Amino acid sequence: MATTHQLPETGFLRLSQIIGNKKTSIPALIPIGRTSFLNGVKSGKYPKPVKLGERTTAWKVEDIRALIGQLGGAV
């Protein structure tokens, strides 16, 4: 896999890893704002998250990879 974003085959991604974080220089896999992404999750446009703990929410790598494919990206 020769892309700028090396995603693991399985696992979980936090929101900042998906939409990026300028403060910590994490590039966006999906260039969209936090509110727009969360509204898309709520409407069913984007995958549902998985609760890993009381204060930890993440998305399956497989779901995000499929979403990027649907949106026309190459990850």
Side-chain angles (χ1 to χ4, degrees):
M1 175 169 48
T3 64
T4 57
H5 304 291
Q6 297 294 322
L7 292 178
E9 291 299 316
T10 61
F12 297 96
L13 295 171
R14 300 290 303 270
L15 184 59
S16 65
Q17 294 171 296
I18 298 169
I19 64 170
N21 186 335
K22 291 180 182 175
K23 290 181 182 177
T24 58
S25 300
I26 297 174
L29 295 173
I30 301 171
I32 189 172
R34 175 184 173 87
T35 302
S36 296
F37 185 81
L38 294 176
N39 285 339
V41 169
K42 186 182 279 189
S43 71
K45 182 177 180 181
Y46 301 134
K48 295 285 183 195
V50 176
K51 290 290 281 183
L52 299 178
E54 184 179 327
R55 297 182 62 194
T56 306
T57 302
W59 282 259
K60 293 180 182 178
V61 170
E62 299 91 336
D63 293 345
I64 298 303
R65 190 183 302 276
L67 175 61
I68 292 169
Q70 286 176 345
L71 298 174
V75 172

